[in-house]
Amino acid sequence: MMAEAVLANRRGGLGRTERRDLWWAGPLATALGLGGFVVYATFRALYNTDFRVVPPDSAYILSPFYSPLIVLPWLPPWVSPAILILWAPGGFRLTCYYYRKAYYRAFFLDPPACAVGEARGHDYRGETRLFLFQNLHRYFLYLALIFLVILSIDVVYACIWPADGGKTFGISVGTLVLGTNVTLLTLYTFSCHSLRHLVGGNVDCFSCVAMGQLRHGLWKNVSLLNKHHMFWAWTSLFMVAFADFYVWMIASGRFTDLRIL
Amino acid sequence: MAETMTLEIHRGDTAGGELVSYTVPSTPGMVVLDAVHFVQAHHAPDLAVRWNCKAGRCGSCGAEVNGKPRLMCMDRVDKYPAGEPITIRPMKTFPVIKDLVSDVSWNFEVNKKIPAFKPRNDRPPRFSQEEADRVQEFRKCIECFLCQNVCHVLRDHQRKEEFGGPRFFVRVAALEMHPLDDGNRTGLLKQDLGIGFCNITKCCTEVCPESIHITDNAIIPLKERVVDEFYDPIKKLFRILMPQSRPEAGD
């Protein structure tokens, strides 16, 4: 059994690796998923119509892209109500610790995958300098919590149906879509790393601080959700786009919102 | 006749190296380190490989198998496709001493920068099991340095002067989150250990043989503590209005 010399190849450079698995599949799927969402959300934000269904034909059903609905008549027509508000949930996702991992890998290729080479020659600074804005995540979290309240109120409105000059409780597919959307957004928001830090992660000695047991309980529960933060991030992202799409379809008359109750 | 497999093992030192192919019989339950030991015993007695416990406890036998950082003693050969060679190289981030042995001494220099545990004097030395659980995870680290090896800040960007690396964020987390520690290492994290260079791509977590949630449980909580102290204007305002003394570790 003679030893046989073969060529060694250990140079760096974008995509260089000895990994033999499908390391590129993850970043590619992420790029397609996030890229597709950004394209759709931008289109719908600029579309500025078919974003709500109003009584008397239905309950009041508002697209999550346009909630809260802020109408300022003095703004130019291309500045839709969605553009006025989407920066807040968009900023929450942009600075989210999970999405940071996802887009640094998928779009910045820094790195494309573990133990896979990167483009050389750029002055890597990580999350210093330009990317210091990522530290605003907790402020976007505060805004996201406000949005959860607003979107929950939208679900309540989607349960109030007109009936013989009055109002009645009712549930349609649209109500369920908005309800599922706010549920997934709540799970995504309550699994946030910054929230985990704020409710108890910043405490070293729970038995030494005021409300230590309560804070430990909160921290533990947020930690449980946090283990699946990526799952909540993707499902809530898909659902918010689907909820908007559903409202678009019923508002434009392509579908009829089926009332269940 | 026993089945065989081909290993391509890095042979060389700081002056340069090449992959050399060896044929090794495959046996049930064999791990990569067994195969390397076979090569050492039958083909290349001068093959350098660092190992100790052969049980995933000592962290000595870290290498890159088919391009992925792993402990060779915990990596079974039967998971690799039969008929394809298995490539074994030393960890890329550290200088090669010989063959599969890297010089990891830089890590020990980084370790010296971290102030040791500083006990509190203002309360009895007691804490609950729940508080112990949190820091216990970090004590599982076996210092194999696979996380340091895979971290692209060190591996590709060579920021060894400015960045400590995931292993040392785990160590700082074990100290900072300890209920009886009185030190404050957030300044160290920001400056000397350069936690801002980490862009949380989670490769350290993916390769950790002890399954420590390095990114979620150590690095991100430490990043949040750095934000508390240096980048949160509301927290800063609170500190001005309600000053608390929190001494630096080592004071």
Side-chain angles (χ1 to χ4, degrees):
Chain A
M1 292 186 228
M2 290 291 290
E4 176 198 347
V6 294
L7 279 178
N9 186 356
R10 218 144 201 231
R11 284 171 295 170
L14 183 62
R16 281 193 177 273
T17 183
E18 287 184 346
R19 285 180 60 171
R20 299 174 192 172
D21 56 343
L22 302 177
W23 61 263
W24 46 267
L28 179 65
T30 303
L32 290 173
L34 287 183
F37 178 84
V38 169
V39 169
Y40 175 78
T42 307
F43 164 72
R44 280 291 290 158
L46 296 171
Y47 195 60
N48 201 9
T49 189
D50 294 333
F51 54 79
R52 63 177 168 169
V53 184
V54 294
D57 300 326
S58 157
Y60 184 75
I61 296 177
L62 178 62
S63 160
F65 282 6
Y66 284 78
S67 182
L69 187 59
I70 300 171
V71 180
L72 302 173
W74 42 269
L75 284 175
W78 60 269
V79 182
S80 72
I83 289 174
L84 294 178
I85 57 150
L86 280 184
W87 59 270
F92 183 52
R93 288 192 191 258
L94 182 75
T95 57
C96 162
Y97 284 101
Y98 166 68
Y99 283 112
R100 276 145 77 172
K101 171 208 164 188
Y103 65 73
Y104 286 138
R105 283 196 189 190
F107 293 114
F108 291 73
L109 306 176
D110 208 355
C114 304
V116 175
E118 299 175 21
R120 284 175 292 179
H122 67 292
D123 180 26
Y124 176 81
R125 304 302 305 177
E127 296 192 329
T128 63
R129 295 189 187 172
L130 183 64
F131 284 85
L132 275 175
F133 76 88
Q134 305 282 24
N135 294 323
L136 290 171
H137 187 52
R138 60 183 59 180
Y139 288 97
F140 283 114
L141 166 69
Y142 305 145
L143 292 171
L145 291 168
I146 296 168
F147 270 72
L148 286 183
V149 175
I150 294 166
L151 292 171
S152 301
I153 293 169
D154 287 346
V155 178
V156 173
Y157 277 123
C159 295
I160 302 170
W161 287 69
D164 299 330
K167 291 172 183 169
T168 184
F169 175 79
I171 289 179
S172 68
V173 174
T175 317
L176 296 179
V177 168
L178 293 190
T180 308
N181 177 49
V182 78
T183 304
L184 289 173
L185 287 173
T186 302
L187 289 165
Y188 169 57
T189 309
F190 278 77
S191 63
C192 166
H193 290 87
S194 282
L195 184 69
R196 186 183 183 218
H197 174 74
L198 294 167
V199 298
N202 54 0
V203 177
D204 296 334
C205 180
F206 289 103
S207 53
C208 314
V209 296
M211 297 188 290
Q213 283 308 305
L214 173 69
R215 298 194 70 184
H216 184 264
L218 288 169
W219 174 76
K220 216 170 170 180
N221 284 312
V222 174
S223 297
L224 279 177
L225 284 175
N226 180 262
K227 282 182 182 170
H228 308 288
H229 194 49
M230 180 181 84
F231 176 77
W232 304 125
W234 279 109
T235 50
S236 63
L237 189 81
F238 170 79
M239 196 62 209
V240 76
F242 178 75
D244 172 78
F245 177 77
Y246 185 82
V247 175
W248 176 18
M249 290 298 109
I250 59 173
S252 62
R254 292 184 176 92
F255 294 166
T256 303
D257 188 24
L258 182 68
R259 186 166 171 182
I260 302 165
L261 275 178
Chain B
M1 190 174 167
E3 284 185 30
T4 60
M5 63 184 160
T6 303
L7 299 188
E8 292 178 352
I9 301 178
H10 173 266
R11 301 300 310 272
D13 51 29
T14 46
E18 61 182 1
L19 289 177
V20 178
S21 286
Y22 300 96
T23 305
V24 173
S26 173
T27 56
M30 192 178 209
V31 294
V32 171
L33 185 59
D34 291 329
V36 170
H37 280 164
F38 185 93
V39 171
Q40 207 178 36
H42 295 88
H43 302 308
D46 60 337
L47 173 65
V49 55
R50 185 184 281 136
W51 68 285
N52 193 353
C53 73
K54 209 174 163 294
R57 305 312 308 160
C58 71
S60 302
C61 63
E64 298 190 10
V65 184
N66 282 359
K68 283 191 170 183
R70 296 186 186 285
L71 291 182
M72 289 188 284
C73 70
M74 302 302 288
D75 201 21
R76 287 178 66 132
V77 296
D78 57 9
K79 79 176 188 197
Y80 295 105
E84 287 184 19
I86 297 172
T87 305
I88 310 166
R89 290 185 184 272
M91 293 191 280
K92 184 184 175 188
T93 299
F94 306 110
V96 177
I97 296 173
K98 185 173 185 294
D99 301 337
L100 297 178
V101 177
S102 308
D103 176 6
V104 295
S105 58
W106 169 80
N107 293 287
F108 306 123
E109 296 306 312
V110 177
N111 194 42
K112 290 177 189 168
K113 294 180 186 173
I114 301 172
F117 180 81
K118 184 182 178 191
R120 301 190 82 108
N121 296 319
D122 59 343
R123 64 176 68 112
R126 284 196 302 267
F127 56 93
S128 67
Q129 183 58 49
E130 285 173 328
E131 288 162 340
D133 289 342
R134 185 182 181 192
V135 287
Q136 199 66 33
E137 178 185 16
F138 307 130
R139 303 299 294 265
K140 291 195 300 179
C141 177
I142 56 173
E143 292 205 314
C144 61
F145 301 127
L146 290 182
C147 57
Q148 302 285 82
N149 175 50
V150 80
C151 175
H152 74 124
V153 183
L154 300 169
R155 185 185 179 94
D156 293 293
H157 300 292
Q158 301 293 324
R159 295 283 181 182
K160 288 197 177 98
E161 293 298 314
E162 301 153 279
F163 185 65
R167 157 61 193 135
F168 297 102
F169 297 136
V170 167
R171 172 141 196 262
V172 171
L175 294 165
E176 278 290 290
M177 297 176 197
H178 195 292
L180 298 183
D181 178 73
D182 200 22
N184 179 3
R185 299 166 188 83
T186 43
L188 177 87
L189 284 167
K190 180 172 178 279
Q191 294 299 333
D192 290 13
L193 298 182
I195 197 168
F197 281 96
C198 169
N199 68 345
I200 48 172
T201 47
K202 281 199 172 182
C203 291
C204 50
T205 304
E206 285 185 23
V207 301
C208 179
E210 286 296 305
S211 302
I212 301 171
H213 295 90
I214 300 173
T215 318
D216 288 318
N217 290 350
I219 296 178
I220 293 174
L222 292 177
K223 274 182 171 263
E224 286 291 316
R225 287 174 184 227
V226 171
V227 177
D228 279 349
E229 196 145 327
F230 296 101
Y231 300 112
D232 187 331
I234 294 178
K235 286 253 181 189
K236 267 192 179 169
L237 187 67
F238 266 100
R239 272 200 299 275
I240 292 167
L241 296 175
M242 291 182 288
Q244 290 175 326
S245 60
R246 200 182 175 210
E248 292 292 322
D251 283 359

